[in-house]
Amino acid sequence: EDQVTQSPEALRLQEGESSSLNCSYTVSGLRGLFWYRQDPGKGPEFLFTLYSAGEEKEKERLKATLTKKESFLHITAPKPEDSATYLCAVQARQGAQKLVFGQGTRLTINP
Amino acid sequence: SQTIHQWPATLVQPVGSPLSLECTVEGTSNPNLYWYRQAAGRGLQLLFYSVGIGQISSEVPQNLSASRPQDRQFILSSKKLLLSDSGFYLCAWSPASGFYNEQFFGPGTRLTVL
């Protein structure tokens, strides 16, 4: 069974304090890994797709990386507006219409 | 550009009452459509997905059902709500022709069953 585990569950940082969120996955053949941002009471917002090990994607203060077993979302010099829950999801080669989501990491950036 | 709508935004219903949530997508044709439920502080649980009109796949046995009467319309229903049906319901779409299943989400419906 395909599984996604995100850690930590919650992370509190000071403004400007860089850190990383982890997404570990087990899947029977990975087609793609996706990162989303979700603000309270809103639907998830698509951030990145990663296709193969070694790939990196960047958007403002966020950089996502992918290995054969996990993905990291690096946050550099975060600002309070980066506070949100970050969700990771995988798409397997089998059953490719579906995504399997992790539980998310709730990130809080204090000013 | 594509837009996804959900309504209502919030709903409070008594136990045993019926439910109908609607999702529509604009700006694309023949999308894949999805219904998810998110419990407080939890991840997303896939309920149903559809690859075309009248084609519904159910992921979790429950008292909910889904229908797709039109290409860009997806409806989530129940004949009798349970307390456990409370949650945040999200509709999503993805391009049918896409090799990678990037899904794009609507604003969600907050359902409280009392």
Side-chain angles (χ1 to χ4, degrees):
Chain A
E1 183 181 336
D2 302 332
Q3 259 188 322
V4 178
T5 303
Q6 292 188 245
S7 61
E9 287 189 14
L11 181 62
R12 190 176 293 268
L13 301 172
Q14 290 298 122
E15 184 172 0
E17 180 184 1
S18 302
S19 188
S20 297
L21 312 182
N22 178 262
C23 170
S24 298
Y25 62 90
T26 54
V27 63
S28 52
L30 179 72
R31 180 175 287 188
L33 184 142
F34 308 86
W35 282 98
Y36 289 84
R37 169 194 170 124
Q38 186 176 24
D39 293 307
K42 304 282 184 66
E45 174 191 349
F46 171 76
L47 292 174
F48 304 110
T49 305
L50 299 167
Y51 306 112
S52 58
E55 186 177 9
E56 297 183 354
K57 293 277 181 74
E58 286 189 64
K59 180 179 181 178
E60 296 181 355
R61 294 174 292 281
L62 300 176
K63 182 170 79 172
T65 61
L66 180 64
T67 72
K68 289 186 177 180
K69 294 184 178 181
E70 57 192 350
S71 177
F72 292 94
L73 185 65
H74 308 277
I75 302 176
T76 302
K79 299 181 177 182
E81 53 262 41
D82 295 321
S83 297
T85 295
Y86 290 86
L87 298 168
C88 170
V90 297
Q91 177 188 3
R93 292 199 187 99
Q94 298 293 329
Q97 290 92 358
K98 298 183 289 184
L99 298 184
V100 176
F101 280 84
Q103 299 299 308
T105 294
R106 189 172 65 254
L107 177 66
T108 304
I109 309 298
N110 295 317
Chain B
S1 65
Q2 299 83 14
T3 309
I4 180 168
H5 304 279
Q6 286 186 248
W7 63 87
T10 60
L11 193 59
V12 180
Q13 292 284 92
V15 170
S17 63
L19 173 73
S20 181
L21 304 181
E22 189 166 342
C23 170
T24 59
V25 181
E26 296 177 354
T28 187
S29 296
N30 194 32
N32 294 329
L33 295 172
Y34 306 84
W35 278 113
Y36 289 89
R37 178 169 58 205
Q38 186 175 35
R42 305 294 299 277
L44 276 65
Q45 179 188 35
L46 179 63
L47 302 175
F48 302 94
Y49 69 94
S50 171
V51 298
I53 295 175
Q55 300 178 61
I56 309 294
S57 296
S58 174
E59 290 296 301
V60 181
Q62 59 219 328
N63 69 321
L64 299 173
S65 62
S67 61
R68 184 171 177 173
Q70 300 181 40
D71 181 43
R72 289 170 290 176
Q73 184 185 32
F74 206 22
I75 296 172
L76 184 69
S77 303
S78 174
K79 293 182 179 179
K80 289 187 178 181
L81 284 168
L82 306 173
L83 285 174
S84 58
D85 292 323
S86 293
F88 191 47
Y89 288 82
L90 290 158
C91 182
W93 75 274
S94 69
S97 58
F99 182 76
Y100 298 102
N101 192 6
E102 287 117 344
Q103 295 182 14
F104 302 94
F105 287 83
T109 295
R110 174 75 59 193
L111 172 65
T112 304
V113 183
L114 301 175

